Amino acid sequence: MNNTNPHPHRGIILAIIMASYLMLVVDISIVLTGLPKIRAELAFTPASLSWIQNAYTLAFGGFLLLGARAGDILGRRRMFIIGLAIFTLASLAIGAAQSPVWMIAFRAVQGFGAAVLAPSTLALIATYFEEGQARNRALAWYAAAAGIGATLGLVLGGLLADLISWRAGFFINLPIGAVLIAGSLRYIGETPRHGGRFDLAGALTATLGMFALVFGIVEAAEAGWASSLTQGAILAGILLLGAFLWVEQRASQPLLPLGLLSDAQRNGAYVARLLFLSGMAGFWFFTAQYLQGALGFSPMQAGLAFVPVTVPQFIASVIVPRAAQRFGQRRLLLIGLSLCVVGLLWLGLTATQMSYVGGVVLPMILLGFGQGWVLAPLTVAGVSGVEARNSGAASGLVNVAHQLGASLGLAVLVVVYAGGHAPVFDAVGMARHTGITMQAAAGLLFAALLVSARYLFRRPPAVAGQATSSHT
């Protein structure tokens, strides 16, 4: 596409892309405020309940690179629509679930659909919006959808669980998905296809490696780090991911062009995003449980309790383009991360007060503004300087860092929360352990701040693709 002549319907196209990605992110968190009712209705055990979340995020993160490559080879519009269809039909099946196995299986299918869809969303932005102010504005709205989606899912999930049913949170995807598929067929054109074949060895080692690594850390929360299953899974994950890099170095058409990893700024963006989501996953998950278990909120009240995050985050995300022009992407990112670190530390220190107004609202406001100013600059840094033929792989890496960070971070923070004990406490114990966990999450965000200060927006990124021309 010739980006010097903007597409006449690119505003509608951006709305379709944003709505699709928002639907993916919302469904990561929409179950959290409804977990007690899901557990009671479907007879989940405490351990199996965690797999409602893990099945989705593991499948999402594990198949992202394959989804990105499929978009490059088969066409991003085609994979966008296929991903929407898989995600929507899986949502229908989840809403009709009659057993834990049924629900967990289709959450994994839903995560696979998200992995097919998500890389095409970011790649289509790169296709329809030229690099510079237009793309930065589009990415700011995209990042707003990514950031707001998590808290919106908590609010929506709580409201629906109390007023209708937790199932409504999944059934609602059916009409939304149908409208988005129709809009995609009408307004989005197919992108050029790049000939070649799938790197199946790379896809297999990457997916199994990420699954084994996350599974091992999740298992540590229940069985401990000394467990042979924990250690074996983590070792297998590391070895498989090492094998993935070895395969990609020798593949004629790699799933991940290693030239994308040749620039320090892009690598910093991936690492910072992973660390940021690692810490924020703890905020979303444990605050939802804290509000209900320690403060006695209902699911609907717990959902509404996240409004102090959602509203500031939306405001901050909307003004990102103007703020970035005035202050620069680097300064905006560092301010946002600093606000998030302070917000999580504040929550950690005041959790034992067990007061929503006195200990939760103000930290949430800081976190809302901080998240709104973090995700857009991280996204810009992660895809800057990438050739069009590698935009799908670059967007896939951004989303892998996002989902893998959430999965790894939540697993690690569950271990911190348990503190060597079964993670079932009375209200006072829950408050104390939540405070410790929030402080650990703040440490992860501080690490993201250090990485960003060292590597991001200090110089223009190298053009990705030059180092991989021999492979493509």
Side-chain angles (χ1 to χ4, degrees):
M1 172 171 294
N2 183 4
N3 284 326
T4 60
N5 297 310
H7 193 282
H9 299 299
R10 70 178 186 176
I12 297 175
I13 293 170
L14 180 60
I16 292 171
I17 292 170
M18 281 182 55
S20 300
Y21 194 62
L22 181 63
M23 188 166 65
L24 304 187
V25 180
V26 163
D27 269 43
I28 296 175
S29 59
I30 199 169
V31 298
L32 292 180
T33 43
L35 284 177
K37 291 194 173 186
I38 295 173
R39 178 182 176 184
E41 185 173 334
L42 297 183
F44 272 89
T45 66
S48 64
L49 195 66
S50 67
W51 283 101
I52 296 175
Q53 196 76 338
N54 292 335
Y56 182 85
T57 54
L58 284 173
F60 196 167
F63 287 104
L64 268 169
L65 289 176
L66 181 62
R69 183 62 173 158
D72 289 338
I73 294 176
L74 301 177
R76 290 165 194 150
R77 174 180 178 264
R78 173 179 294 180
M79 299 313 298
F80 184 82
I81 293 172
I82 290 174
L84 269 175
I86 294 172
F87 186 91
T88 302
L89 293 175
S91 298
L92 178 62
I94 294 167
Q98 299 299 313
S99 69
V101 172
W102 180 340
M103 184 171 191
I104 290 171
F106 280 101
R107 278 289 276 177
V109 174
Q110 190 185 42
F112 174 75
V116 173
L117 172 59
S120 292
T121 61
L122 199 50
L124 285 170
I125 288 179
T127 300
Y128 283 94
F129 295 86
E130 65 275 12
E131 190 158 7
Q133 184 176 354
R135 186 178 298 176
N136 289 346
R137 186 182 296 112
L139 288 173
W141 283 103
Y142 180 90
I148 292 172
T151 45
L152 180 60
L154 291 167
V155 174
L156 186 61
L159 287 170
L160 292 175
D162 258 6
L163 299 178
I164 305 175
S165 166
W166 63 266
R167 298 177 186 273
F170 295 99
F171 285 143
I172 199 173
N173 287 336
L174 187 60
I176 295 174
V179 169
L180 292 174
I181 289 172
S184 302
L185 292 169
R186 171 68 177 84
Y187 293 106
I188 298 178
E190 188 55 277
T191 58
R193 302 181 194 178
H194 301 283
R197 56 185 181 180
F198 289 106
D199 175 16
L200 295 180
L204 186 63
T205 51
T207 302
L208 292 178
M210 284 188 283
F211 178 87
L213 184 61
V214 174
F215 176 83
I217 297 177
V218 170
E219 182 66 18
E222 297 183 350
W225 294 105
S227 164
S228 58
L229 182 57
T230 297
Q231 295 177 355
I234 292 175
L235 178 61
I238 294 172
L239 292 175
L240 283 166
L241 290 175
F244 167 69
L245 294 176
W246 183 85
V247 168
E248 296 308 278
Q249 191 175 18
R250 289 158 177 78
S252 59
Q253 296 176 335
L255 187 67
L256 172 63
L258 294 183
L260 291 174
L261 303 179
S262 64
D263 179 72
Q265 174 170 294
R266 279 192 296 271
N267 290 341
Y270 303 142
V271 172
R273 196 180 191 98
L274 186 147
L275 290 168
F276 178 72
L277 265 297
S278 292
M280 292 310 300
F283 165 72
W284 299 322
F285 186 84
F286 292 106
T287 302
Q289 306 307 308
Y290 172 79
L291 291 170
Q292 296 182 70
L295 302 188
F297 285 19
S298 70
M300 181 172 65
Q301 290 172 330
L304 291 173
F306 281 90
V307 169
V309 174
T310 306
V311 173
Q313 187 168 349
F314 178 77
I315 294 171
S317 299
V318 168
I319 65 174
V320 159
R322 283 179 294 171
Q325 280 188 319
R326 181 172 180 180
F327 300 108
Q329 298 278 7
R330 175 180 170 82
R331 186 176 299 175
L332 195 65
L333 172 61
L334 298 182
I335 291 173
L337 283 170
S338 298
L339 289 176
C340 288
V341 171
V342 173
L344 282 178
L345 281 175
W346 192 340
L347 276 174
L349 294 172
T350 58
T352 54
Q353 296 179 9
M354 298 174 66
S355 169
Y356 176 69
V357 175
V360 178
V361 172
L362 291 178
M364 277 188 171
I365 292 173
L366 292 181
L367 287 164
F369 280 109
Q371 287 182 84
W373 288 332
V374 166
L375 289 172
L378 284 180
T379 303
V380 170
V383 299
S384 292
V386 176
E387 290 185 342
R389 59 181 173 176
N390 288 322
S391 61
S395 64
L397 270 178
V398 169
N399 282 293
V400 165
H402 199 101
Q403 299 306 325
L404 188 59
S407 299
L408 288 171
L410 183 56
V412 169
L413 293 174
V414 164
V415 176
V416 173
Y417 180 81
H421 306 284
V424 179
F425 310 107
D426 59 15
V428 174
M430 175 176 281
R432 182 166 59 87
H433 283 257
T434 299
I436 294 170
T437 305
M438 292 299 171
Q439 293 176 48
L444 292 170
L445 264 64
F446 184 69
L449 176 62
L450 294 179
V451 171
S452 299
R454 173 64 179 84
Y455 293 106
L456 301 190
F457 301 108
R458 299 181 67 90
R459 59 178 177 77
V463 175
Q466 293 176 348
T468 60
S469 59
S470 61
H471 296 309
T472 57

